[in-house]
Amino acid sequence: MELLYNSTRSKKQPITASMAILQGLSEDGGLFVPDHIPQLDKSLEELSGMTYQETAYEVMKLFLTDFTEEELKDCIAKAYDSKFDTREIAPLVYAQNTYFLELFHGSTIAFKDMALSILPHLLITSARKNKVKNDIVILTATSGDTGKAALAGFADVDGTKIVVFYPKNGVSPIQEKQMVTQKGANTCVVGVTGNFDDAQTGVKRIFGDKEFAKEMAEKGYQFSSANSINIGRLVPQIVYYVYAYAKLLANGEIQNGEKINVVVPTGNFGNILAAYYAKNMGLPIGKLICASNDNKVLYDFFQTGVYDKNRQFVLTSSPSMDILISSNLERLIYRIAGENAEKTAELMAALSGEGKYEITDAMWQELKDFYGNYASEEETAGMIKKIYDSCGYVIDTHTAVAAAAYEKYVAESGDNTKTVVASTASPYKFTRSVMSAIDAKYDTMDDFALVDELSRISGVTVPNAIEEIRTAPVLHDRVCDKTEMAEAVRKFL
């Protein structure tokens, strides 16, 4: 059955998956959403015997219906290969009465690799299918992880160029070093004097600038996105929730059909939305636990039904979640509004204008699958130490936010359903915060000495992604004001 994509903000003609991937964002500023959520057509029993790559095909074929079997399997084979340092791609580790789904075994040691390893192949295939002759220019704002994962995915891919904007003082030292040392003649990295929301708003503004698009088209370029606003990012993320459930079933940890809860450290809302889509496809998920850091705009939303970005922006030790505008929440809003594009557009206009909106009581009722909580900086550090002290397992700051929010959920609800925590980054990406949480004595060591010490205490080999940036030269040193982002793109192209 063909599945088409609609905009969240208007009743325009639906488009194919490949066109939605190419465009990234709808012309009306809306996000592309499937016209229905397909149901899994393989049993949980069948899925439990599959590799990650086979699971990816079974899930993605249902959403990308204009891709042939050969095209989709080729994209999957190119994405999930030796770039990942574990054969399972996304291993499950049992610690602290919870299953940690390690999503950080790709080339940039963060969960963004799970989708950004395949997006370039989906995009190039989509361009060929739609007879696109222009070079595709990927524009992306990053709060830390998307940038490097997108750069690694698109570096030296023919027919593409990529420009990544990041908040100049809003990412970890290792995240920044990963980006500014990126090789590839088609890559460009620019620091923005502002926060992530400034960078993301700037990218959206460029996408909405018709004159600029026309100017670029005349020079042989067209824009697309690698942010989670692109449906080609979201669909591959659904896969790992299905895979995690299937592995628990295969390992005898759960019975067929038994519900599990899922906890996701959440910033832009794409990762937890993928879990919500998996649940709506028929995967037995109970509660979707949305974990926030001190920028707890989503926690407040789930408490009150009011989304309000008018608040102080806090720089935390979990920078990929330092976000006040969770773009992917729009896709959930559209769904709980009964797929009412007019209502969604009205709420997004309120967010853009007054910086806040309130959902209706009927929409509020549709959120019962979700639970929101947050962890302070102290609670985050305390959870890293607690898990390390109890079982020697080291988690990063984002995963610790999730574990702390989950602990609060269990204390409040008494719900002891088996639970999967999305472990979204390697502790090696945030060594200083992680090691300081374990013991204050590490505060005086430099970043790469901490890397070696983390390897010693965890027994985990230093990932290649860290080794290769120890001595790598800085190749990108551009910084611009948030008002100069379009000019930075023009100069690069």
Side-chain angles (χ1 to χ4, degrees):
M1 181 178 175
E2 189 180 26
L3 187 147
L4 295 171
Y5 287 83
N6 296 311
S7 167
T8 51
R9 297 193 195 177
S10 69
K11 287 196 169 74
K12 293 169 84 103
Q13 187 68 26
I15 61 173
T16 61
S18 62
M19 276 307 296
I21 289 168
L22 268 178
Q23 286 185 35
L25 198 65
S26 175
E27 287 172 3
D28 54 34
L31 278 57
F32 289 115
V33 283
D35 62 7
H36 66 281
I37 303 286
Q39 295 301 293
L40 290 166
D41 62 359
K42 289 282 187 287
S43 70
L44 298 171
E45 205 66 62
E46 287 172 291
L47 290 164
S48 72
M50 292 185 188
T51 63
Y52 192 87
Q53 293 84 346
E54 289 164 343
T55 309
Y57 175 71
E58 293 303 333
V59 172
M60 292 172 68
K61 72 175 188 189
L62 302 172
F63 286 93
L64 310 180
T65 55
D66 65 328
F67 283 67
T68 66
E69 180 175 349
E70 184 185 8
E71 285 169 340
L72 190 49
K73 284 186 170 173
D74 180 57
C75 290
I76 289 165
K78 285 175 175 163
Y80 305 113
D81 57 8
S82 59
K83 289 191 289 295
F84 288 81
D85 62 19
T86 53
R87 195 172 51 79
E88 322 79 315
I89 307 295
L92 279 163
V93 174
Y94 186 71
Q96 201 77 8
N97 303 316
T98 314
Y99 298 91
F100 289 88
L101 177 63
E102 294 188 343
L103 299 172
F104 52 76
H105 289 279
S107 54
T108 75
I109 60 175
F111 83 103
K112 306 291 170 79
D113 289 322
M114 302 300 292
L116 283 164
S117 295
I118 195 166
L119 183 62
H121 306 294
L122 294 175
L123 202 55
I124 295 302
T125 305
S126 296
R128 282 200 300 264
K129 290 174 88 65
N130 291 283
K131 311 284 189 292
V132 170
K133 297 286 189 284
N134 289 344
D135 274 11
I136 308 287
V137 180
I138 300 297
L139 294 184
T140 287
T142 184
S143 53
D145 288 337
T146 287
K148 175 59 182 180
L151 288 161
F154 282 93
D156 294 324
V157 171
D158 285 344
T160 70
K161 288 185 164 40
I162 176 164
V163 185
V164 168
F165 293 99
Y166 72 96
K168 178 61 186 139
N169 297 308
V171 300
S172 81
I174 283 181
Q175 283 177 316
E176 182 170 49
K177 188 89 190 278
Q178 281 187 302
M179 287 189 277
V180 299
T181 57
Q182 177 65 51
K183 296 174 184 166
N186 67 334
T187 65
C188 174
V189 180
V190 184
V192 175
T193 51
N195 60 36
F196 169 72
D197 290 327
D198 295 325
Q200 180 165 258
T201 301
V203 166
K204 284 185 173 178
R205 192 173 291 123
I206 295 170
F207 273 116
D209 187 336
K210 301 283 191 291
E211 283 304 306
F212 192 41
K214 189 173 162 217
E215 178 193 333
M216 291 298 109
E218 284 164 6
K219 293 184 164 63
Y221 299 117
Q222 72 183 64
F223 294 131
S224 189
S225 168
N227 277 83
S228 55
I229 53 176
N230 192 316
I231 199 71
R233 268 281 305 275
L234 187 60
V235 169
Q237 291 182 270
I238 301 167
V239 175
Y240 46 73
Y241 294 109
V242 176
Y243 179 75
Y245 188 95
K247 283 301 126 213
L248 289 174
L249 183 56
N251 298 338
E253 302 287 342
I254 54 173
Q255 301 296 312
N256 193 349
E258 182 181 341
K259 282 191 174 177
I260 63 166
N261 290 336
V262 171
V263 191
V264 186
T266 308
N268 222 8
F269 208 76
N271 202 358
I272 194 163
L273 184 73
Y276 174 75
Y277 277 15
K279 177 180 169 80
N280 282 274
M281 291 178 80
L283 198 70
I285 293 175
K287 270 287 186 243
L288 296 154
I289 298 162
C290 178
S292 302
N293 63 17
D294 277 323
N295 292 292
K296 57 185 196 302
V297 64
L298 285 165
Y299 166 70
D300 292 340
F301 170 70
F302 284 117
Q303 291 289 107
T304 64
V306 176
Y307 191 97
D308 187 354
K309 75 178 179 80
N310 302 310
R311 61 185 68 210
Q312 188 185 356
F313 183 89
V314 186
L315 286 172
T316 73
S317 60
S318 46
S320 300
M321 299 159 69
D322 290 348
I323 292 174
L324 295 181
I325 304 171
S326 301
S327 287
N328 266 291
L329 186 63
E330 181 171 341
R331 286 186 165 113
L332 180 66
I333 294 297
Y334 175 79
R335 179 121 175 131
I336 65 174
E339 306 197 335
N340 183 334
E342 202 176 314
K343 181 65 179 173
T344 308
E346 176 199 314
L347 294 175
M348 294 308 126
L351 181 64
S352 183
E354 299 113 57
K356 66 186 218 178
Y357 62 80
E358 183 169 6
I359 60 172
T360 65
D361 287 344
M363 292 167 74
W364 176 260
Q365 292 305 314
E366 296 294 318
L367 290 176
K368 57 185 181 299
D369 291 340
F370 288 89
Y371 166 89
N373 217 313
Y374 75 101
S376 67
E377 286 290 87
E378 296 71 28
E379 288 167 332
T380 301
M383 185 53 70
I384 292 170
K385 182 169 174 55
K386 180 178 180 176
I387 292 180
Y388 174 71
D389 287 348
S390 71
C391 59
Y393 185 57
V394 182
I395 57 173
D396 91 295
T397 45
H398 303 74
T399 308
V401 168
Y406 174 58
E407 191 171 79
K408 291 180 182 181
Y409 169 72
V410 173
E412 273 179 38
S413 66
D415 179 4
N416 288 306
T417 300
K418 285 168 187 161
T419 296
V420 168
V421 173
S423 184
T424 53
S426 165
Y428 282 100
K429 205 149 194 170
F430 304 95
T431 40
R432 182 158 301 284
S433 298
V434 168
M435 297 301 280
S436 296
I438 289 171
D439 196 321
K441 72 182 182 187
Y442 295 123
D443 289 353
T444 56
M445 293 169 74
D446 75 51
D447 283 319
F448 284 105
L450 285 174
V451 162
D452 295 326
E453 184 64 8
L454 173 54
S455 179
R456 187 187 70 76
I457 69 164
S458 66
V460 175
T461 308
V462 178
N464 189 47
I466 299 296
E467 288 293 3
E468 64 190 14
I469 61 168
R470 279 186 197 259
T471 55
V474 170
L475 302 175
H476 306 270
D477 58 3
R478 296 184 196 196
V479 178
C480 79
D481 187 73
K482 62 186 179 184
T483 60
E484 301 166 338
M485 290 167 64
E487 190 50 38
V489 173
R490 186 182 278 112
K491 272 186 185 162
F492 170 61
L493 296 179

